[in-house]
Amino acid sequence: MSLVDAIVAQVLMLETALYHAYARMEARTDSEALHDLRINLRRMRSLLRPLRKIGAVATLNEVAAEVGKLTTPVRDLEVLIDELEQLGFAQQANARKAILQSSYSRIVASSTLKQLFSRLDQWPSDFRAAERGGELRQIKKTIAKRLHKQVERLKAALADPQYDLHQLRILVKRTRYATDAYPQFSPISVKAAASLKAVQSALGTWHDHYQWCLKAGQEEDLQPLLQDWHVAATAALMEAEVELLHLAALLAKNQQA
């Protein structure tokens, strides 16, 4: 199977998974539907990102990005409710569940999501047309170049002590997902890839607690949790800093190899 065929096949499988997650959200069958929709959306965007300058890819990538923006606050609310329930703050959790349910309805009915599925239906023929037009002639070289550039951006960020941690978290995520999407073109070692995952997890934990601290400063019923969340955020940041040093060392070693 050619690389173009493999990409088309993967996008078609992801489209099926997205439809399935959408149907589960619409029917309210389980609490993981939105999470699964976002995971499959992320996988698709990771496939498309290295090729986003190609016209057939750019439009779908833009629509997928809009769905990501639409669903991110709702996923954040899911995670917050789960945290509150685990800590035994049922009243605070229940107070937010009605908002969550209305948010599900808004996503299911959104024109943004409908546009995504419309573009997905059209995308394979558009991508094949790009192939016939010669736009995908250097596809392997393009992907390898994009992944290399992504890793170099991450290395530069790791070397900058003033680099914004929120932006670094996003950069780590994008690098990990890009190398996961195209392991055959990944410029990093297996150990560095594992370190990327550990860094993402630590920064993700820090980011969650950081955001919850902000909410606790604005929402009165969350204030009893502020101190514990602040302590947890500090601990997660310390763990992330250790993992970041380890990742930087692995990427430097990878360059020397």
Side-chain angles (χ1 to χ4, degrees):
M1 181 185 293
S2 71
L3 181 57
V4 171
D5 289 341
I7 292 173
V8 171
Q10 287 186 67
V11 171
L12 288 173
M13 285 190 294
L14 291 169
E15 180 183 12
T16 300
L18 286 166
Y19 270 116
H20 185 234
Y22 169 84
R24 288 158 53 206
M25 281 188 63
E26 188 175 35
R28 304 288 200 276
T29 60
D30 62 274
S31 61
E32 293 297 311
L34 177 62
H35 185 46
D36 287 348
L37 184 142
R38 285 175 54 81
I39 286 174
N40 287 292
L41 185 70
R42 182 203 76 204
R43 289 172 177 164
M44 186 180 70
R45 292 192 67 198
S46 297
L47 278 172
L48 299 177
R49 184 174 294 277
L51 304 171
R52 62 189 180 277
K53 290 190 177 181
I54 296 170
V57 174
T59 303
L60 179 56
N61 186 58
E62 289 170 4
V63 175
E66 289 302 313
V67 174
K69 291 177 184 177
L70 174 69
T71 58
T72 292
V74 186
R75 176 56 185 165
D76 289 345
L77 181 58
E78 282 186 335
V79 175
L80 173 59
I81 289 172
D82 184 62
E83 169 77 358
L84 292 170
E85 289 182 330
Q86 288 191 36
L87 294 176
F89 288 79
Q91 183 176 349
Q92 287 88 336
N94 291 335
R96 289 162 174 80
K97 286 183 178 179
I99 300 173
L100 182 63
Q101 291 300 318
S102 65
S103 297
Y104 288 153
S105 298
R106 178 169 51 85
I107 291 172
V108 167
S110 71
S111 59
T112 305
L113 197 55
K114 288 179 172 61
Q115 188 178 9
L116 172 67
F117 288 129
S118 176
R119 291 305 309 166
L120 277 169
D121 288 343
Q122 181 63 33
W123 184 81
S125 61
D126 290 345
F127 197 57
R128 291 297 188 188
E131 181 184 24
R132 291 191 297 273
E135 292 184 76
L136 308 183
R137 190 176 296 114
Q138 300 293 323
I139 186 171
K140 292 182 180 180
K141 183 178 179 180
T142 298
I143 293 171
K145 182 179 179 180
R146 297 291 181 195
L147 264 61
H148 178 77
K149 184 176 180 180
Q150 184 73 32
V151 171
E152 290 302 308
R153 285 184 61 201
L154 176 58
K155 287 167 63 177
L158 292 171
D160 181 0
Q162 303 301 317
Y163 202 87
D164 182 78
L165 275 175
H166 297 283
Q167 293 301 315
L168 182 59
R169 183 182 70 89
I170 294 171
L171 191 53
V172 166
K173 286 173 64 175
R174 287 181 177 175
T175 304
R176 180 195 165 196
Y177 297 154
T179 53
D180 282 353
Y182 296 102
Q184 68 272 46
F185 300 115
S186 175
I188 66 174
S189 66
V190 174
K191 287 184 178 179
S195 181
L196 266 177
K197 183 177 181 180
V199 168
Q200 181 187 340
S201 176
L203 284 175
T205 300
W206 163 76
H207 177 76
D208 284 344
H209 286 88
Y210 176 87
Q211 294 297 328
W212 296 339
C213 286
L214 293 180
K215 281 185 173 293
Q218 301 168 352
E219 301 176 20
E220 187 175 352
D221 66 336
L222 297 180
Q223 288 182 4
L225 291 147
L226 179 58
Q227 184 58 36
D228 287 344
W229 280 343
H230 179 71
V231 171
T234 301
L237 183 56
M238 291 176 64
E239 180 182 346
E241 288 173 344
V242 172
E243 294 292 349
L244 285 165
L245 288 172
H246 181 54
L247 175 60
L250 286 171
L251 291 179
K253 183 179 180 180
N254 188 79
Q255 185 178 28
Q256 296 167 4

